[in-house]
């Protein structure tokens, strides 16, 4: 114990010397100094005749060991110094926040509330609460580890399926019979995969002779695929198309009658999950915002980012301690809720925020009334342009496009829920047509159309006018159905992110 304390004391003294710049890392104990003297003599040629080659090799190996030890000690000292500096910064910030809180409390006690910004803070928290309450019905719940195992079964079954080719293209028998046959095949594949992966669960499933007896299982499996796709729009590129089209067909009244059960159930969202647990008040907790928010890192020091991360970690742990055990909520349930909300926040950061960044670039670098050196004007047939716009018209056209993309991506999860509602509506029939891009299912999308009219109205008010047509193409040869509509907006971030990164590097 005494030796350890002595080492700690020596380490602190050495750290102090490093911080003050008063230490030379080449100084070592007397033995090392003797070796250094011998090595220096060898280097100068004074002992080249006195020592043998073996002795010189021995001293050279000692030199390498000493250098390695010095380098290791230097790295340890620097790491300790950085950690100590971060702790000092955190302590200073906590002290400053504590002082501000105490000052506000004293002012409140004395009745001096004029200079206190508590009203603004409360309004900001209430706004965040309202936004989260509005978004929570459209935030899918993150998949658990067990659910991810079942998801792999669904993906595997869809990958080997040729559903759309057999149903929409082949015409040997009636369409209803083709749909019924393909749906039964997929259910059979799922059952077989489950038996192969989990024999006990599969044995219970196949004990029932009819697929209708396992309605809840198939609904659960297909809901996992839909939920995962919304959380990860870049995944399941081909499998999701088959999934949504087979569910679309399964909702037809005659197919339901033939199958004797439904394959569709509502997607499990954060709001639905908390409502079942009678825990909706959790969404109004300010700590939940602190535990799930995105920590910005652009233009900030490493110490500031680390400080905010530490605060987020503390809030995360406090939320768990506060709600575990309430309403039957386990630790895993609380983590699922926070993780799902955090997923949504990070989706907005990487998909919506590039639109905000491009809007800021456009407004800061260009003046709509003064083209300056670099004009945005375009001419039809020049550089691939299909329109003719002067500088101001093109400026407003680009601005309204970015604002439209921004508002769509801000409500992207809501739009996806509405798109599936249109696609899976049993009273909303589709028709097969060759749109010039192959055979597609043309289907009206009333819910998406109404929501898009609201989005365009908001974007028009922000710009002040609208350049071009404000018609939303849905259910026609340009955008056949809601699935095609929602899929194309997943590409916006792929277009804008590289541009934003390049512009940021140019400024650096």
């Amino acid at each position: 114990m005494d030796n350890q304390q002595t080492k700690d004391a020596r380490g602190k003294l050495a750290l102090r010397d490093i911080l003050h710049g008063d230490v030379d890392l080449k100084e070592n104990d007397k033995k090392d100094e003797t070796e250094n003297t011998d090595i220096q003599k060898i280097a100068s040629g004074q002992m080249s005749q006195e020592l043998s080659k073996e002795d010189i090799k021995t001293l050279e190996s000692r030199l390498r060991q000493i250098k390695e030890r010095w380098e290791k000690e230097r790295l340890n000292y620097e790491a300790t110094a950085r950690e100590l500096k971060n702790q000092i910064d955190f302590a200073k910030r906590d002290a400053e926040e504590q002082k501000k809180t105490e000052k506000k409390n004293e002012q409140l006690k004395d009745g001096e509330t004029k200079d206190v910004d508590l009203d603004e803070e409360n309004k900001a928290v209430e706004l965040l609460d309202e936004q989260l309450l509005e978004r929570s019905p459209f935030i899918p719940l993150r998949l658990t580890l067990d659910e991810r195992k079942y998801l792999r079964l669904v993906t595997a079954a869809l990958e080997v399926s040729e559903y759309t080719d057999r149903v929409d293209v082949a015409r040997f028998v009636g369409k209803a019979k083709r749909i019924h046959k393909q749906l039964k095949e997929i259910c059979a594949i799922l059952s077989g995969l489950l038996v192969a992966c989990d024999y006990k669960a599969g044995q219970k499933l196949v004990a029932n002779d009819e697929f209708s007896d396992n309605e809840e299982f198939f609904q659960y499996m297909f809901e996992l695929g839909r939920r995962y796709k919304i959380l990860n729009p870049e995944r399941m590129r081909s499998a999701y198309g088959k999934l949504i089209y087979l569910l679309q067909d399964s909702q037809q009244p005659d197919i339901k009658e033939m199958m004797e059960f439904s394959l569709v159930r509502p997607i499990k969202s954060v709001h639905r999950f908390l409502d079942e647990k009678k825990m909706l008040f959790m969404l109004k907790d300010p700590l939940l915002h602190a535990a799930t928010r995105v920590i910005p890192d652009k233009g900030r020091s490493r110490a500031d980012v680390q400080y905010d991360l530490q605060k987020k970690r503390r809030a995360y742990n406090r939320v768990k301690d506060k709600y575990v055990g309430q309403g039957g909520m386990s630790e895993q349930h609380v983590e699922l809720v926070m993780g799902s909300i955090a997923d949504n926040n990070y989706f907005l950061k990487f998909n919506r925020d590039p639109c905000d960044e491009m809007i800021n670039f456009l407004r800061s670098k260009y003046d709509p009334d003064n083209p300056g050196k670099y004009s945005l004007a375009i001419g039809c047939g020049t550089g691939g342009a299909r329109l003719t716009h002067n500088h101001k018209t093109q400026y407003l056209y680009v601005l309204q496009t970015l604002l439209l993309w921004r508002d769509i991506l801000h409500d992207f999860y809501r739009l996806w829920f509405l798109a599936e509602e249109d696609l899976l509506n049993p009273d909303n029939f589709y028709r097969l047509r060759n749109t010039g891009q192959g055979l597609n299912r043309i289907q009206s999308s009333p819910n998406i159309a109404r929501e898009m009219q609201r989005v365009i109205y908001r974007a028009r008010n922000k710009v002040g006018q609208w350049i071009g047509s404000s018609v939303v193409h849905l259910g026609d040869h340009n955008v056949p159905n809601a699935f095609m509509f929602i899929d194309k907006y997943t590409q916006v971030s792929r277009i804008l992110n590289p541009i934003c990164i390049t512009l940021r590097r140019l400024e650096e």
Side-chain angles (χ1 to χ4, degrees):
M1 187 68 180
D2 295 337
N3 292 336
Q4 184 63 34
Q5 292 177 353
T6 303
K7 289 181 181 179
D8 293 342
R10 289 176 61 188
K12 290 179 181 178
L13 289 173
L15 178 59
R16 182 198 64 189
D17 294 337
I18 290 173
L19 293 174
H20 289 82
D22 297 334
V23 69
D24 183 2
L25 292 175
K26 292 184 178 180
E27 293 180 4
N28 213 311
D29 54 22
K30 293 181 179 180
K31 183 179 179 181
D32 291 341
E33 289 178 359
T34 304
E35 293 174 349
N36 291 341
T37 304
D38 293 339
I39 291 166
Q40 289 173 1
K41 287 181 179 181
I42 293 170
S44 62
Q46 296 177 13
M47 295 181 64
S48 59
Q49 297 178 353
E50 300 176 11
L51 297 176
S52 64
K53 291 183 178 180
E54 294 181 358
D55 294 334
I56 293 174
K57 288 182 179 179
T58 303
L59 288 174
E60 286 177 347
S61 67
R62 288 181 183 176
L63 175 61
R64 285 194 297 271
Q65 292 175 2
I66 291 170
K67 285 183 177 179
E68 290 175 359
R69 186 165 68 247
W70 286 344
E71 182 66 18
K72 191 179 295 184
E73 290 178 356
R74 183 183 67 81
L75 294 175
N76 290 336
Y77 288 148
E78 289 180 355
T80 308
R82 285 195 299 268
E83 184 178 356
L84 182 60
K85 188 177 181 301
N86 288 337
Q87 291 178 359
I88 292 171
D89 291 340
F90 293 152
K92 286 181 179 179
R93 290 174 183 271
D94 288 337
E96 289 176 1
E97 288 192 356
Q98 184 66 26
K99 286 181 181 179
K100 289 180 182 179
T101 304
E102 291 176 357
K103 184 178 179 181
K104 289 178 181 179
N105 291 335
E106 290 176 0
Q107 289 175 339
L108 288 173
K109 288 179 182 178
D110 298 336
E112 300 175 0
T113 59
K114 293 182 180 179
D115 298 331
V116 182
D117 57 352
L118 288 178
D119 291 339
E120 295 181 1
E121 291 181 4
N122 290 335
K123 288 179 181 178
V125 171
E126 289 176 2
L127 181 61
L128 289 172
D129 289 340
E130 292 176 1
Q131 291 178 351
L132 187 55
L133 282 171
E134 290 177 0
R135 285 190 295 137
S136 61
F138 308 103
I139 299 178
L141 196 67
R142 181 189 283 187
L143 272 64
T144 64
L145 183 61
D146 290 335
E147 288 176 337
R148 291 178 186 276
K149 295 177 182 177
Y150 287 118
L151 173 69
R152 287 196 288 270
L153 301 183
V154 178
T155 306
L158 293 171
E159 290 293 344
V160 301
S161 171
E162 297 178 351
Y163 181 82
T164 49
D165 294 336
R166 299 287 180 85
V167 170
D168 292 341
V169 178
R171 302 182 182 278
F172 301 110
V173 294
K175 186 168 184 178
K177 292 182 178 179
R178 295 200 306 271
I179 293 173
H180 181 237
K181 181 181 178 182
Q182 290 300 313
L183 290 177
K184 291 186 72 174
E185 281 187 6
I186 291 177
C187 291
I189 292 171
L190 278 175
S191 302
L193 289 174
L194 181 63
V195 172
C197 295
D198 189 343
Y199 181 74
K200 289 185 178 180
Q203 194 176 28
K204 293 179 181 179
L205 185 69
V206 298
N208 301 316
D209 296 332
E210 299 294 334
F211 288 131
S212 57
D213 297 332
N214 301 311
E215 177 180 13
E216 186 175 347
F217 168 76
F218 292 117
Q219 288 180 351
Y220 169 74
M221 296 289 280
F222 291 126
E223 187 268 339
L224 290 180
R226 294 160 57 204
R227 182 161 27 122
Y228 180 78
K229 176 62 177 178
I230 298 175
L231 287 167
N232 303 273
E234 73 283 358
R235 303 291 181 87
M236 295 178 65
R237 299 289 299 170
S238 60
Y240 179 76
K242 298 177 189 177
L243 173 61
I244 201 67
Y245 282 158
L246 74 86
L247 293 178
Q248 183 183 44
D249 290 334
S250 73
Q251 289 295 94
Q252 297 178 17
D254 52 344
I255 302 300
K256 272 187 178 180
E257 185 177 353
M258 296 173 72
M259 294 291 292
E260 298 181 351
F261 71 100
S262 173
L263 296 175
V264 179
R265 76 174 187 183
I267 291 177
K268 184 183 290 187
S269 65
V270 170
H271 188 280
R272 182 183 297 273
F273 177 76
L274 291 177
D275 189 29
E276 292 173 357
K277 301 286 186 180
K278 308 298 182 185
M279 292 288 291
L280 283 176
F281 61 88
M282 181 179 173
L283 297 173
K284 298 182 179 180
D285 192 339
L287 279 175
L288 190 61
H289 303 295
T292 58
R293 71 190 184 98
V294 177
I295 304 298
D297 58 347
K298 297 175 186 176
R300 305 182 66 204
S301 66
R302 187 183 185 91
D304 291 339
V305 174
Q306 288 294 333
Y307 176 74
D308 285 346
L309 286 172
Q310 192 176 24
K311 287 178 63 177
K312 180 179 178 179
R313 198 175 298 113
R314 286 200 297 264
Y316 185 89
N317 293 330
R318 288 176 63 186
V319 170
K320 283 203 301 185
D321 295 339
K322 185 175 182 180
Y323 291 107
V324 169
Q326 293 190 38
M329 295 279 283
S330 64
E331 183 177 352
Q332 184 187 26
H333 292 156
V334 178
E335 289 178 348
L336 274 178
V337 170
M338 289 194 289
S340 304
I341 296 173
D343 289 343
N344 179 240
N345 291 335
Y346 276 97
F347 173 84
L348 295 177
K349 172 182 171 57
F350 290 106
N351 290 271
R352 180 199 62 190
D353 289 5
C355 296
D356 290 332
E357 193 171 354
M358 288 297 296
I359 291 170
N360 292 333
F361 277 127
L362 180 66
R363 285 173 168 167
S364 62
K365 304 297 181 182
Y366 293 97
D367 183 355
D369 299 320
N370 182 16
K373 185 178 179 181
Y374 301 102
S375 174
L376 296 175
I378 59 173
C380 182
T382 304
R386 299 180 62 184
L387 301 171
T388 300
H389 287 165
N390 60 28
H391 172 78
K392 184 175 182 179
T393 303
Q394 182 64 10
Y395 175 91
L396 295 175
Y397 185 70
V398 173
L399 180 61
Q400 78 179 23
T401 302
L402 291 172
L403 288 170
L404 181 65
W405 287 354
R406 191 260 177 207
D407 288 346
I408 289 173
L409 291 170
H410 179 73
D411 289 331
F412 192 69
Y413 282 6
R414 179 199 298 269
L415 290 171
W416 201 307
F417 273 71
L418 293 175
E420 286 204 351
E421 188 175 332
D422 285 333
L423 287 164
L424 303 180
N425 184 355
D427 298 325
N428 189 12
F429 299 99
Y430 67 85
R431 59 191 186 278
L432 285 172
R433 292 289 183 275
N434 190 336
T435 61
Q437 299 178 0
L439 200 62
N440 283 284
R441 298 185 176 194
I442 296 180
Q443 182 189 42
S444 63
S445 306
N447 292 315
I448 286 287
R450 280 194 298 270
E451 190 62 29
M452 281 303 300
Q453 289 299 331
R454 297 191 188 100
V455 172
I456 292 175
Y457 178 77
R458 290 198 299 267
R460 182 191 288 116
N461 288 340
K462 292 176 183 178
V463 177
Q465 58 179 305
W466 193 261
I467 308 297
S469 174
S470 61
V471 175
V472 180
H473 289 280
L474 278 169
D476 56 19
H477 281 57
N478 294 313
V479 185
N481 51 56
F483 169 59
M484 299 294 182
F485 171 83
I486 206 70
D487 182 68
K488 69 178 182 178
Y489 285 103
T490 62
Q491 312 303 316
V492 171
S493 61
R494 296 186 180 187
I495 299 170
L496 296 185
N497 266 320
I499 300 174
C500 292
I501 293 171
T502 303
L503 292 175
R504 266 186 258 126
R505 293 294 177 87
L506 288 175
E507 290 188 343
E508 293 174 2

